[in-house]
Amino acid sequence: MNAVEYHEATTHRRDRMSAGRRMDRATQPAQFKEYPQDLERVSLPRENAFPVMTMPEALAAPEALSQPLTMDRLARVLSLTCGLTASVGSIYLRSNPSAGALYPVEAYVAMPGAGEDAGGVFHYAPGEHALTRIRRGDGAAYAATTCRLPEGAGAPAAMFLFTTIFHRTAWKYGDRGYRYVLLDVGHVVENLLLACRAEHLGAVCVTDFADDAVNSLLGVDAEREVCQCMVAVYHGQAPDTAPPTEPRGLEYIEDRQAMAAASATVRNEPAYPMIVATHEAGNLARAESMQPGPVMDASALSLEVLSTEQLPGASELFAGRQLPPLARTMLSRRSQRGFLPEMPDDRTTQAFLRLLCDRLEGGGDEPDRTVATAVIMGRAEETAMYVLNRKAGKLERVRTHAERYPDGNLREAVADACLGQGWLARAAFQVLFLTDVSKLEATLGPRGYRRSGVLAGRQGERAYLAAQTLGMGACGVGAFFDDELAAALGLVQGGKGIYIVAAGPCQQR
């Protein structure tokens, strides 16, 4: 099953909802992955001084300043990436948002082995804030051979690998849950990239890698749990040599059956053949360089541009503004729906949009633009939709061609298409992440669908954190009547919405 077929099969329509599953308590997934007790556990420091850098400062800071990846620094990075932050009854909340608070993402760290340091591959247990060593040896070097890192990048200080356990999300959302696990991966990856910037560590996101080799490295059951994304982390030093093509030794997994059994979250876990088939269609047999892919902008989505506006620079928007440290923002982030029907002032609006850009002042390498970022905003009759050029920091106002709704009711149109969730219409900003699944398939093959889902999740997490940084709230939405949403937005030539994050001033909690 290719991505186009999967997306159509899981499309919500008023007369045919993509089938979720009755949440059978007998197959309710465990919240945390558990390994055999005889594996080595490494406790991480809990009392840790987090960086005081704000979100704008982190986005503007140099990525790497020769900082070693110490145990303290690793502990802080993991806490900010996907650590526990609170509990509500029996549900444990984390620094990353997740559809239905189901948290399908598992985090692994592959470390180099040098001298007396055994290195190896570790699983992060957020419930214990500890690492479980899966195998010893030069895990980072082995992980690096499964993908193509940027030329001249050198040997990574660590490779972070993020898997998803299908049943955690599909237990509630059925086959459409595959869309949501990709978004969840993006949330976690964006947290990691921002945490690395705050720690002055370099980081590179990699979505193309040899799937079987990576899953084998982690010892997972690939019918239940698969790697979706990797991030190479650097400490700023530039070695003279690239990662070795052959690892310097890696311990074998003696009991693969027991290791793979840890991927199961409950006895009698159901199978998800559509999800597995869709995922496997995009598997790569060997390491390949990431291709640029199609640029999803107003033109690619066949949206008519009415006007263009350049956002002010970061120095103008953030100078003298008292903002919380990024770490505090990440650890206190919550989904909020109590939106007030009001727009923030113009400077706050522009600051919010600037924080959605890849770099605060533009420039730099060409970002992945296989997903377009659109924003519906404005006061009353001035409400309109804009496409954000995340590299140049420009806004393009576009015509929506929404036949049922004039421009002034765009917010209501989106709320109606999102299963009639009225709170969405009160949000100051409706940030929409759009792509053309057919163009992705034609250009990048089935792998493009994974990449776009992860990128949409990354940009969605950026919207969450930008809103919280500026004293607002945010909440993500992945359930909507797909064709109605596309029609309301004027996506008449194949464009699709894949994620929405509502943001704006909220009632005080």
Side-chain angles (χ1 to χ4, degrees):
M1 172 172 280
N2 64 32
V4 176
E5 294 167 339
Y6 167 78
H7 199 82
E8 173 61 26
T10 56
T11 289
H12 282 335
R13 297 187 175 90
R14 290 187 184 269
D15 60 347
R16 191 210 72 187
M17 295 288 286
S18 173
R21 300 181 69 94
R22 183 176 64 85
M23 290 185 287
D24 183 359
R25 297 301 173 186
T27 60
Q28 183 173 359
Q31 295 183 62
F32 301 112
K33 185 172 183 177
E34 295 185 1
Y35 278 98
Q37 292 298 311
D38 59 345
L39 293 180
E40 178 187 356
R41 290 339 192 249
V42 180
S43 296
L44 293 170
R46 290 185 178 274
E47 299 299 327
N48 233 326
F50 287 97
V52 297
M53 197 181 291
T54 66
M55 185 175 183
E57 289 170 344
L59 291 171
E63 288 186 350
L65 293 176
S66 298
Q67 299 286 354
L69 186 58
T70 63
M71 190 62 76
D72 281 349
R73 187 166 279 115
L74 177 62
R76 291 195 297 266
V77 165
L78 285 169
S79 291
L80 296 177
T81 299
C82 53
L84 297 191
T85 57
S87 61
V88 179
S90 60
I91 298 175
Y92 292 89
L93 303 180
R94 308 189 191 186
S95 58
N96 58 293
S98 175
L102 296 170
Y103 301 105
V105 179
E106 297 291 333
Y108 299 80
V109 187
M111 303 290 288
E116 296 182 359
D117 186 353
V121 181
F122 300 83
H123 171 263
Y124 175 57
E128 305 169 27
H129 192 50
L131 298 173
T132 300
R133 195 192 302 265
I134 297 172
R135 54 203 305 185
R136 294 172 178 270
D138 199 353
Y142 189 96
T145 66
T146 67
C147 63
R148 294 284 179 87
L149 296 175
E151 186 175 352
M159 294 286 291
F160 286 71
L161 306 96
F162 297 105
T163 68
T164 55
I165 295 179
F166 296 138
H167 180 59
R168 285 243 183 88
T169 298
W171 173 71
K172 178 176 182 180
Y173 296 109
D175 289 325
R176 191 175 171 107
Y178 185 62
R179 300 190 188 193
Y180 303 157
V181 300
L182 296 176
L183 298 175
D184 275 10
V185 172
H187 296 152
V188 173
V189 168
E190 187 66 14
N191 275 358
L192 173 59
L193 296 175
L194 289 172
C196 285
R197 292 193 72 91
E199 292 282 356
H200 294 295
L201 296 166
V204 177
C205 177
V206 180
T207 55
D208 290 356
F209 47 83
D211 292 79
D212 288 347
V214 175
N215 291 332
S216 177
L217 171 68
L218 301 177
V220 299
D221 179 350
E223 292 288 313
R224 294 185 170 96
E225 179 183 1
V226 293
C227 187
Q228 301 278 13
C229 190
M230 302 165 63
V231 175
V233 172
Y234 300 89
H235 46 50
Q237 298 173 355
D240 295 329
T241 58
T245 56
E246 293 295 333
R248 297 187 297 273
L250 190 66
E251 181 181 68
Y252 286 103
I253 297 176
E254 294 184 2
D255 190 344
R256 281 196 169 270
Q257 186 174 0
M259 190 72 74
S263 295
T265 62
V266 67
R267 289 185 179 182
N268 303 317
E269 188 174 287
Y272 300 95
M274 182 186 293
I275 291 177
V276 172
T278 302
H279 183 83
E280 290 183 346
N283 280 0
L284 299 177
R286 60 184 182 277
E288 295 183 8
S289 299
M290 288 182 61
Q291 300 302 310
V295 174
M296 291 296 162
D297 54 14
S299 175
L301 295 170
S302 301
L303 293 168
E304 180 186 355
V305 177
L306 302 177
S307 61
T308 302
E309 172 187 348
Q310 177 69 51
L311 290 172
S315 58
E316 178 180 342
L317 293 173
F318 299 108
R321 193 164 196 146
Q322 296 297 314
L323 299 174
L326 173 61
R328 186 197 306 167
T329 299
M330 297 170 80
L331 294 173
S332 63
R333 182 216 55 78
R334 298 286 184 274
S335 294
Q336 299 183 61
R337 298 182 178 184
F339 294 109
L340 300 173
E342 61 187 48
M343 283 292 296
D345 61 73
D346 290 346
R347 185 175 177 227
T348 300
T349 294
Q350 293 167 338
F352 174 72
L353 297 171
R354 177 57 76 177
L355 288 174
L356 300 184
C357 295
D358 292 273
R359 292 177 181 269
L360 288 192
E361 297 294 355
D365 297 333
E366 182 65 31
D368 188 342
R369 295 174 62 191
T370 51
V371 173
T373 300
V375 185
I376 293 173
M377 61 183 183
R379 294 176 175 84
E381 68 278 358
E382 298 175 359
T383 299
M385 186 166 88
Y386 301 81
V387 175
L388 176 64
N389 182 323
R390 299 195 308 272
K391 180 180 181 182
K394 290 183 178 179
L395 280 176
E396 295 177 326
R397 180 172 176 172
V398 296
R399 192 187 304 279
T400 62
H401 302 298
E403 296 180 2
R404 290 177 56 197
Y405 303 91
D407 277 359
N409 287 323
L410 266 177
R411 287 192 182 89
E412 287 81 358
V414 171
D416 193 28
C418 291
L419 313 189
Q421 298 184 74
W423 56 268
L424 270 164
R426 297 191 298 274
F429 308 101
Q430 293 172 338
V431 187
L432 305 107
F433 303 101
L434 316 172
T435 196
D436 187 317
V437 178
S438 296
K439 288 182 179 178
L440 286 176
E441 183 85 17
T443 307
L444 298 173
R447 191 74 168 206
Y449 193 75
R450 284 195 224 174
R451 183 163 150 187
S452 67
V454 172
L455 180 57
R458 285 184 55 193
Q459 292 300 315
E461 178 67 342
R462 184 73 75 86
Y464 262 106
L465 297 175
Q468 184 126 346
T469 292
L470 297 168
M472 301 185 291
C475 187
V477 177
F480 37 77
F481 299 120
D482 298 72
D483 296 339
E484 286 189 25
L485 178 65
L489 302 179
L491 301 175
V492 296
Q493 298 294 327
K496 300 290 185 183
I498 51 178
Y499 192 28
I500 300 170
V501 174
C506 276
Q507 300 170 4
Q508 294 295 320
R509 289 182 294 171

